[in-house]
Amino acid sequence: MTTQIAQTSRTREQPQGDEEASSDLKLGEFDGVPTLSLSEARVIITALQEHRKTKAREVKETEMLHKTLEYLEVFARFKQKENIEAVERLLLSHEKLAPFERSQLASLCCESAEEAKTLVPSLSDRMSDSDLQELLDEITKLRNYVD
């Protein structure tokens, strides 16, 4: 008697490109491309919606747009535009960071340098633990201020 086990997941397609966000950032065609934090994406999409409403354009809002906005509302760490801009200025002052790393730090809001380097391995070669911890502490201050 043979028992067949039902497949519990779909087979994963192998990535087509050579993109990898490990200790060495390999972002392929996206290397050096400006990126957004979740908070920045939330502000931009919300502003675009408001702009369309003021222009009285008939725009069909899709389920995907609603789900995206719901996701951003939950996971965007900064809600106030001033705080988002302050975090952006703070991260831009660290020129060694790649755009991808900046957006990840702004979105994840890690509490420790160890956590940040675990989630964004390429940070290991960019900054010392003490410098990274100082940056994370500044981000946390901005997050706790007003938000």
Side-chain angles (χ1 to χ4, degrees), residues 38-62:
L38 296 176
S39 300
E40 292 168 319
R42 180 183 157 275
V43 166
I44 289 171
I45 293 173
T46 303
L48 181 60
Q49 275 190 311
E50 292 301 318
H51 176 73
R52 288 177 174 172
K53 287 177 184 174
T54 60
K55 294 289 183 184
R57 286 182 147 171
E58 189 67 34
V59 178
K60 181 179 178 184
E61 294 186 358
T62 64

Side-chain angles (χ1 to χ4, degrees), residues 32-88:
V33 171
T35 57
L36 298 174
S37 68
L38 296 176
S39 300
E40 292 168 319
R42 180 183 157 275
V43 166
I44 289 171
I45 293 173
T46 303
L48 181 60
Q49 275 190 311
E50 292 301 318
H51 176 73
R52 288 177 174 172
K53 287 177 184 174
T54 60
K55 294 289 183 184
R57 286 182 147 171
E58 189 67 34
V59 178
K60 181 179 178 184
E61 294 186 358
T62 64
E63 180 182 357
M64 180 65 74
L65 177 61
H66 286 293
K67 286 184 177 186
T68 300
L69 284 170
E70 285 176 11
Y71 177 88
L72 292 173
E73 198 60 45
V74 171
F75 293 106
R77 303 291 188 185
F78 302 94
K79 307 294 186 201
Q80 304 294 325
K81 188 175 180 183
E82 297 80 22
N83 290 8
I84 295 167
E85 291 170 350
V87 169
E88 178 72 10

Side-chain angles (χ1 to χ4, degrees), residues 2 12 23 27 29-30 39 44 50-51 56 61 68 73 84 94 110 112 128-129 134 139 141 143-144:
T2 59
R12 282 181 58 178
S23 58
L27 301 177
E29 65 184 279
F30 300 105
S39 300
I44 289 171
E50 292 301 318
H51 176 73
E61 294 186 358
T68 300
E73 198 60 45
I84 295 167
H94 292 272
C110 300
S112 70
S128 69
D129 283 355
E134 187 177 317
I139 292 171
K141 286 178 192 174
R143 183 175 174 209
N144 293 336

